[in-house]
Amino acid sequence: MTRSDAVWFISEGVVRPEIEAGALVVLPIRNELLGGPVGISLREGGELRPEAQALVAALEAAAQ
């Protein structure tokens, strides 16, 4: 069995299999600093297809 006293902050979805297997435990910590901003990276000078433009617009609208 692996044992540690380390605390790690990561998106839950990244380690979901380990949580479900019981290898990691979610601590009930809530803090505004843990809900950091999320961004969209786009290639400079590249044009987005209409579907991608619609997705970006929907994400921007949801964030406001």
Side-chain angles (χ1 to χ4, degrees):
M1 177 179 240
T2 304
R3 295 184 183 259
S4 174
D5 59 357
V7 176
W8 184 25
F9 295 92
I10 190 167
S11 298
E12 185 176 340
V14 175
V15 293
R16 188 174 322 278
E18 289 83 357
I19 294 169
E20 291 174 355
L24 295 177
V25 177
V26 177
L27 298 176
I29 299 172
R30 296 287 179 232
N31 183 301
E32 66 183 52
L33 297 176
L34 299 177
V38 176
I40 299 172
S41 297
L42 304 172
R43 188 175 1 177
E44 186 176 3
E47 290 191 33
L48 295 177
R49 295 186 346 208
E51 300 86 355
Q53 290 176 359
L55 174 61
V56 171
L59 292 171
E60 289 173 339
Q64 293 180 12

